[in-house]
């Protein structure tokens, strides 16, 4: 919902135009002119008798006028009354009452006269009266004794004051008495009761009269009203009279309406034009009558008709003669109606049609003064000249009176005078002054020169040319300095000299010249007109719905003329924003934080400039969860139902969609509220079903789109009578927990379902399909019963019936249960295995007899495990696998078998108790399959025409290897492949020398293994024959080796070639056609750790160098280890290992202490002696000056080695020392791999020398290093 509002400049222009018309008739004050009354007191002037009386009379003229007064038609000599003074340069009288004067002494009719040499102006007749607030006359008020249902009028009769007082009724506590259609105050101040009720009894009905002029309140003595009800009245009469005398105390009877005011069937009313017409009808009756108004022969005037005092008063504002007529009020109740007709006549005091206006003439000119008025009856017109009736005024030959017009011909300067027109009838009079001023003046322009006018485009432009001259000058307008006279429909020329451009455009901007001329001269004036772009709101605030405590923003983005400075003001409900820090006014928005209910309303953005104003409004609706319902009432109480009604709370601007009714059982579950029902949001009553023996209390929750209200206050409690149960326990089951029992369970009844005290359960059972009687027990406060001594797993019929002190529930339904299960007795027989292929087998078995299952058959389990691989004789841990086949299935598939392997299996039946005995183990074998790829392929010893190939057998042969197949082909410089050559190699071979190859040629090799089933996946590699026998200068990477773990692998290689090569490692799944994955090696290291590998998977790997013609090593194949169970233990976490390391550390510490002591004594210690005895020529001696150990030094690369290292100085490692030595994976490396395969230690190529302190090595210490240092 959005409102747009624009404050137009047209109304402002119209007001300006009217002001200019008036001001154009004004004579400049520097010229001679007769007096003009500018200010005077009202005709009916009521004054406060406690304050000074000020009677105003102000006038202007040239020369300045003098003032005189008349009182009650005779001259009032103010000099003779010390209490009366006249203000300087003014005719205003001040009568000093506060210094002992009496206001009543100055009561009368006053008239002021302002006079100078050119005439005299007079004021209205000012009737001065002091206000009066008399006290109430003392009267003895008798108590009012009224029968219930009768009408009553309490009379106020306030004292007559001036002006009349305002009447209202209150009690002794100054609280206004409540009024309604039944009780209301009339226009005369009386209090009317259409019918009285017992609650009207009170002793403090007090009428108050407030006199506003004196700010006083007078009060009438309290009035007592005693209402007798029919019951109490009959009791009183019966106590005092015999039965035969009781005849007046009839019960309250309904009565048709009777008018209390006005009386009779017709009345008349006279009102004056322009006043407010008030018509009143108040009726008695029981039930209370309803009032309706009509106008006979017409309609009540729209927009001016209002109903007050519960439609008992008809109010028509600003009445006119057209409102005369007959108005009928109709009072109606269920028994009938009554009406009254008021004949309204609208009279009129005189009102102006044409009031006389000042007349400025030059000598010899003609003119007229016109005085026209209307009224009812029609007013008479009389003329005065300078305050004297014109009939006895001095003669003027240029003047002629013709009724309501005075005609002037060939006036002369002596014709100047002030004329008064008096229009009067019986309801009042009008008096107007108008002067005739005879002057001879050249033109003058009163508008300032070069005045700047700024207007908004497409709005009217009004350019002033206020002038004066006598004779009246003619006005002409020009645009520009040498422009032509302006004419045409584009312009409007006003009599006061104003030029109007109705729709100003940009091309209307510029200089305009106004020229005024008469026979005595000519004058001109220039004004400037600028046209501005209108101010617009281009992004208006929009209707918003926000939840309570949320945040909302209204936008107000404007566009305006660059020369105008706009101001943006925000209003809420057409008033200023609340003084609250939650309201944040930004440059082009209003943000309200933490919105509350009081923020609901209309927000208006008003943009003001000096020339225009625009606005836009939007409504903010604050929504919230509804307020809780209230006033809960229980009616229609029955044994099994009750009616609940309530009143909804405030919906908080989001309609209530439903009501949720909850109940509390104070007897069984006090404080616990449960769901009863839900009804639509339009419903405020509900009939609720009840259960016996429940102490109910209800509450209601209202729901709207925002959420649920707080619960209402609880209703009164209602206790229903007891009865036998209506329902039996639910979810009855019979399931044995042991082979010889039956456990009967059920869901117990809730407290409110018990229907009475003494809730118990009758539990019954009997064996099914056996001619047995029911066995029953009665239990209480339990939800299960165990029957012992039953046969194993036999069916039983079970039922549970509720009962209480008043009887049984209906007969329950029976359920089938079983006694307890036992383990199956028989294993499945005739187990057969059919091998489908090398990885899949199908197993069959015969079902066991159902009686032997001794329980619910759940299915069969097949246990199978690999005994050994037929291609290898190595044994490993047996891991049994289990497949479960649900239901009475007699076959199943065994997937994921390994080819060429021996397996065993057995089958067991399963019931709810567990597994039965296993069938005899069944042995079966899987046939051969294709092998995996060879574990590696190395190409070494390149010559001019030969290459040596070495390979490893497949990790998973999956059968008996029959042969290897080698395929190779040359690759030219454009990477095109040559003819493919294939060689079959016996299975027992592990190397091959290929001869008769082309020199300096790159070859690509494909290598795989075969079984009798077929060929396995292949491994590829590339190699190049040399150009001649000289040691090649090109770089090469050889001896790629891998050490694989479960999820990572350590890759190392040897490199020959230029320094600072940037290596990378490529790898992928062996036999896969997917692209190689590439990992960059940091620095020039010759090792790398591949992480994130899949356990039990064969990978291919190769190493390359960036920027060296893209050469790569030969491929290597490795397989990650199988996934190990969580029972594998890290040695580093074992207690024995930790204890061993602690012992070693303690021994080292003792040895250090001993060495330190012996050194201080100057002697040699055994370690030193041993080192001296086995001196290595490359070992530098210990420095004597600082006691630090020396370092091994390499003249080429300064690679440090610890003292005690077993690595020879030429950095070579013997093969027999350790096949897994890290030296094989890279040069100059001392370290180890941690648990995840990451490398620990220092790479010599990155070594930076650091000063050593004490006995510390330049490397990070480790237990191995520590022990080596002291060997």
């Amino acid at each position: 919902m959005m409102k747009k509002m624009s404050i137009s400049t047209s109304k402002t222009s119209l007001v300006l135009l009217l002001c200019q018309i008036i001001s154009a008739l004004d004579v400049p004050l520097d010229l001679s002119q007769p007096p003009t009354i500018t200010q005077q007191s009202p005709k009916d002037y009521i004054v406060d008798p406690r304050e000074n009386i000020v009677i105003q009379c102000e006038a202007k003229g040239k020369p300045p006028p003098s003032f005189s007064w008349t009182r009650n038609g005779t001259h009032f000599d103010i000099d003779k009354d010390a209490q009366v003074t006249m203000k300087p340069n003014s005719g205003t009288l001040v009568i000093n009452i506060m210094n002992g004067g009496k206001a009543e002494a100055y009561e009368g009719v006053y008239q002021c006269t302002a006079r100078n040499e050119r005439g005299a102006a007079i004021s209205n007749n000012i009737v001065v009266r002091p206000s009066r607030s008399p006290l109430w006359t003392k009267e003895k008020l008798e108590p009012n004794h009224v029968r219930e249902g009768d009408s009553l009028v309490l009379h106020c009769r306030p004292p007559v004051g001036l002006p009349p007082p305002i009447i209202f009724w209150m009690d002794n506590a100054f609280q206004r008495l409540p009024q309604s259609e039944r009780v209301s105050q009339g226009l005369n101040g009386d209090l009317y009761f259409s019918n009285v009720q017992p609650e009207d009894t009170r002793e403090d009905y007090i009428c108050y009269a407030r006199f506003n002029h004196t700010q006083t309140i007078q009060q009438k003595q309290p009035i007592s009203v005693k209402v007798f009800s029919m019951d109490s009245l009959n009791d009183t009469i019966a106590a005092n009279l015999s039965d035969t005398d009781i005849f007046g105390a009839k019960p309250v009877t309904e009565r048709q309406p009777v008018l209390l005011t006005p009386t009779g069937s017709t009345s008349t009313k006279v009102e004056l034009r322009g006043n407010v017409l008030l018509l009143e009808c108040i009726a008695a009756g029981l039930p209370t009558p309803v009032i309706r108004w009509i106008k006979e022969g017409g309609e009540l005037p729209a927009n001016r008709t209002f109903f007050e005092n519960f439609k008992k008063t008809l109010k028509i504002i600003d009445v006119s003669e057209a409102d005369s007529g007959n108005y009928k009020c109709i009072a109606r109740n269920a028994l009938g109606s009554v009406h009254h007709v008021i004949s309204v006549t609208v009279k009129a005091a005189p009102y102006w049609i044409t009031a006389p206006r000042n007349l400025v003439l030059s000598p010899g000119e003609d003119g007229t003064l016109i005085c026209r008025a209307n009224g009812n009856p029609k007013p008479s017109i009389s003329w005065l000249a300078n305050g004297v009736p014109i009939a006895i005024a001095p003669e003027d030959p240029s003047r002629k009176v013709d009724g309501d017009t005075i005609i002037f011909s060939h006036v002369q300067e002596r014709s100047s005078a002030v004329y008064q027109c008096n229009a009067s009838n019986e309801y009042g009079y009008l008096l107007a002054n108008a002067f005739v001023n005879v002057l001879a003046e050249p033109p003058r322009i009163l508008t300032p020169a070069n005045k700047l006018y700024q207007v908004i485009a497409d709005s009217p432009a009004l350019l002033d040319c206020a002038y004066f001259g006598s004779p009246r000058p003619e006005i002409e307008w020009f645009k520009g300095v040498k422009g032509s006279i302006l004419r045409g429909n584009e312009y409007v020329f006003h009599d006061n000299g104003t030029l109007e451009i109705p729709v100003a455009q940009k091309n209307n901007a510029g200089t305009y010249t106004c020229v005024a001329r008469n026979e005595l001269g000519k004058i001109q004036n220039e004004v400037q007109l600028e046209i501005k772009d209108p101010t617009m709101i281009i992004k208006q605030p929009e209707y918003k719905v926000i939840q309570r405590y949320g945040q909302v923003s209204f936008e107000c983005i404007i566009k305006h003329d660059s020369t105008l400075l706009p101001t943006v003001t925000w209003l809420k409900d057409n008033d200023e924003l609340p003084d609250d820090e939650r309201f944040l006014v930004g440059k082009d928005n209003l943000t309200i934080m933490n919105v509350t209910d009081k923020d609901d309303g209309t927000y208006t953005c008003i943009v003001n400039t000096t020339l225009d104003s625009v606005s836009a409004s939007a409504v903010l609706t604050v929504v919230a969860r509804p307020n809780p319902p209230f006033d809960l009432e229980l009616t229609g109480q029955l044994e099994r139902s009750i009616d609940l009604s309530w009143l909804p709370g405030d919906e908080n601007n989001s309609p209530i969609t439903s009501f949720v009714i909850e109940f509390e059982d104070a007897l069984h579950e006090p404080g616990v509220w449960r769901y009863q029902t839900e009804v639509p949001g339009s419903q405020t009553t509900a009939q609720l079903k009840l259960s016996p023996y429940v102490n109910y209390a209800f509450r209601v929750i209202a729901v709207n789109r925002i959420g649920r209200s707080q619960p209402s206050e609880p209703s009164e409690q209602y206790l229903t009578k007891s009865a036998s149960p209506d329902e039996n326990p639910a979810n009855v089951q019979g399931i044995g927990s042991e082979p010889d029992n039956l456990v009967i369970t059920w869901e117990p009844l809730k407290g409110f379902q018990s229907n009475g005290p003494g809730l118990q359960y009758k539990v019954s059972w009997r064996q099914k399909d056996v001619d047995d009687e029911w066995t029953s027990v009665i239990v209480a406060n339990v939800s299960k019963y165990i029957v012992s001594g039953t046969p194993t797993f036999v069916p039983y019929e079970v039922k549970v019936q509720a009962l209480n002190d008043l009887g049984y529930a209906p007969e329950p339904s029976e359920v089938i249960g079983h006694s307890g299960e036992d383990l199956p007795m028989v294993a499945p027989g005739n187990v057969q295995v059919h091998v489908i292929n090398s990885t899949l087998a199908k197993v069959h078995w015969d079902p066991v007899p159902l009686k032997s299952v001794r329980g619910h058959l759940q299915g069969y389990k097949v246990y199978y495990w690999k005994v050994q691989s037929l291609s290898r004789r190595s044994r490993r841990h047996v891991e049994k696998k289990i497949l479960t086949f649900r239901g009475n299935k007699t076959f199943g598939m065994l997937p994921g078998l390994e080819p060429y392997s021996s397996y065993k299996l057995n089958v067991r039946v399963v019931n709810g108790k567990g597994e039965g005995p296993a069938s005899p183990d069944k042995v079966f074998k899987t046939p051969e399959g294709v092998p995996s790829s060879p574990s590696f392929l190395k190409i070494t010893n390149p010559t001019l025409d030969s290459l040596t190939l070495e390979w490893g057998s497949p990790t998973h042969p999956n059968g008996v290897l029959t042969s290897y197949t080698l395929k190779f082909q040359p690759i030219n410089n454009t990477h095109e492949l040559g003819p493919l050559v294939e060689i079959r190699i016996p299975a027992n071979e592990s190397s091959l020398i290929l001869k008769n190859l082309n020199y300096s040629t790159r070859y690509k090799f494909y290598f795989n293994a075969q079984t009798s089933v077929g060929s396995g996946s292949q491994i590829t590699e590339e190699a190049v024959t040399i150009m001649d026998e000289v040691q090649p200068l090109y770089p090469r990477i050889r001896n790629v080796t891998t050490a694989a773990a479960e999820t990572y692998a350590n890759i190392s290689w040897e490199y020959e070639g230029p320094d600072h090569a940037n290596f990378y490692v490529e790898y992928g799944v062996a036999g896969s056609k997917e692209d190689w994955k590439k990992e960059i090696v940091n620095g020039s290291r010759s090792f790398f750790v591949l992480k994130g590998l899949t356990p039990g998977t064969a990978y291919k790997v190769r190493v390359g160098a960036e920027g060296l013609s893209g050469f790569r090593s030969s491929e290597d194949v490795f397989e990650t280890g199988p996934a190990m169970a969580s029972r594998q233990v890290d040695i580093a976490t074992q207690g024995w290992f930790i204890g061993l390391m602690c012992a070693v550390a303690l021994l080292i510490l003792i040895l250090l202490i001993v060495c330190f002591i012996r050194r201080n004594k100057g002697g040699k210690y055994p370690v030193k002696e041993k080192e001296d005895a086995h001196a290595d020529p490359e070992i530098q001696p210990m420095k004597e000056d600082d006691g630090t150990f020396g370092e091994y030094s390499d003249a080429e690369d300064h690679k440090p080695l610890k003292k005690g290292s077993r690595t020879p100085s030429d950095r070579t490692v013997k093969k027999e020392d350790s096949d897994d030595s890290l030296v094989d994976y890279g040069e100059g490396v001392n370290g180890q791999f941690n648990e995840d395969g990451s490398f620990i230690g220092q790479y010599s190529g990155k070594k930076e020398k650091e000063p050593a302190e004490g006995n510390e090595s330049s490397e990070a210490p480790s237990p191995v290093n520590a022990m080596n240092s002291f060997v």
Side-chain angles (χ1 to χ4, degrees), residues 1055-1228:
Y1055 167 69
E1056 296 178 1
D1059 292 338
H1060 308 299
N1062 296 319
F1063 299 108
Y1064 61 87
V1065 175
E1066 293 182 319
Y1067 69 99
V1069 177
S1072 172
K1073 296 183 180 180
E1074 296 181 356
D1075 294 338
W1076 293 76
K1077 298 179 182 179
K1078 187 174 183 180
E1079 299 286 349
I1080 303 298
V1081 180
N1082 292 330
S1084 56
R1085 296 184 299 180
S1086 57
F1087 63 89
F1088 188 76
V1089 179
L1090 287 176
K1091 299 180 181 179
L1093 304 179
T1094 303
T1097 304
Y1099 284 91
K1100 57 185 178 180
V1101 65
R1102 64 188 181 190
V1103 181
E1106 300 280 0
L1108 296 175
S1109 302
F1111 80 95
R1112 302 182 183 89
S1113 67
S1114 60
E1115 293 183 13
D1116 189 22
V1117 176
F1118 65 91
E1119 183 174 358
T1120 54
M1124 301 301 291
S1126 59
R1127 64 177 178 270
Q1128 290 183 337
V1129 179
D1130 187 352
I1131 188 173
T1133 64
Q1134 297 302 295
W1136 64 267
F1137 179 77
I1138 296 173
L1140 177 62
M1141 290 298 99
C1142 291
V1144 171
L1146 181 60
L1147 290 174
I1148 293 172
L1149 179 61
I1150 295 172
L1151 184 59
L1152 283 172
I1153 294 172
V1154 172
C1155 292
F1156 180 74
I1157 294 173
R1158 294 196 60 180
R1159 175 174 173 78
N1160 288 343
K1161 291 181 179 181
K1164 292 186 177 180
Y1165 47 87
V1167 177
K1168 175 66 176 174
E1169 292 173 355
K1170 188 174 181 178
E1171 289 175 351
D1172 291 344
H1174 299 85
D1176 192 307
E1178 292 189 33
I1179 299 176
Q1180 297 180 0
M1182 181 182 295
K1183 298 180 182 179
E1184 298 296 337
D1185 53 350
D1186 59 3
T1188 59
F1189 290 101
E1191 294 182 347
Y1192 290 97
S1193 175
D1194 191 307
E1196 294 179 5
D1197 55 8
H1198 306 287
K1199 298 176 181 177
L1201 294 174
K1202 290 190 180 71
K1203 192 169 184 177
S1205 171
R1206 293 295 180 263
T1207 305
S1209 60
D1210 61 355
R1211 306 191 305 277
T1212 62
V1213 178
K1214 294 181 181 180
K1215 184 70 174 177
E1216 60 271 14
D1217 288 347
S1218 175
D1219 290 342
D1220 295 330
S1221 171
L1222 294 178
V1223 180
D1224 289 344
Y1225 306 146
E1227 296 181 343

Side-chain angles (χ1 to χ4, degrees), residues 253-457:
T253 57
E254 296 182 341
R255 295 176 289 105
Q256 66 180 15
V258 175
L259 286 176
L260 297 176
T261 183
T263 58
S265 60
T266 61
S267 61
T268 60
K269 173 79 171 180
V270 176
E271 193 55 78
L272 292 183
R273 180 180 184 270
N275 287 354
V276 176
L277 174 64
L278 293 173
L279 304 178
E280 180 180 58
C281 273
I282 301 177
L286 186 66
T288 303
V290 177
I291 306 297
R292 186 168 65 92
W293 291 90
I294 62 173
K295 183 181 181 182
E296 293 182 346
E299 298 291 333
L300 295 174
N303 303 323
R304 294 188 294 115
T305 301
F306 304 91
F307 297 100
E308 297 180 346
N309 196 19
F310 308 98
K311 291 192 175 181
K312 299 175 186 179
T313 302
L314 172 65
K315 177 181 178 180
I316 301 176
I317 62 173
D318 193 22
V319 295
S320 65
E321 288 86 343
D323 295 322
S324 297
N326 293 331
Y327 291 83
K328 179 187 287 187
C329 70
I330 304 169
R332 185 186 303 276
N333 68 6
L335 301 183
S337 65
V338 65
H339 69 269
H340 183 92
V341 177
I342 305 173
S343 179
V344 175
T345 302
V346 178
K347 299 291 185 176
Y351 56 91
W352 291 118
I353 295 176
T354 303
R357 298 175 59 185
N358 293 338
L359 189 61
V360 179
L361 300 173
S362 62
E365 279 193 314
D366 301 336
T368 58
L369 287 179
I370 300 174
C371 177
R372 291 178 184 161
N374 201 359
N376 186 11
K378 188 172 182 62
S380 60
I381 304 294
S382 61
W383 287 95
L384 296 87
N386 295 326
V388 178
I390 199 165
I392 60 174
E395 288 288 340
D396 184 353
S398 64
R399 177 184 68 208
K400 179 183 179 182
V401 178
D402 184 9
D404 57 9
T405 304
I406 300 179
I407 301 171
F408 297 93
S409 303
H410 303 289
V411 296
Q412 300 301 317
E413 188 173 350
R414 64 178 181 275
S415 300
S416 296
V418 181
Y419 291 88
Q420 290 81 34
C421 173
N422 185 301
S424 60
N425 66 10
E426 60 186 282
Y427 298 108
Y429 73 94
L430 294 173
L431 178 68
N433 291 278
F435 64 68
V436 175
N437 196 12
V438 181
L439 295 173
E441 287 291 327
R444 62 169 71 181
I445 294 179
L446 307 178
T447 301
N450 294 314
K451 184 175 180 180
L452 176 62
Y453 292 89
Q454 295 177 325
V455 298
I456 298 297

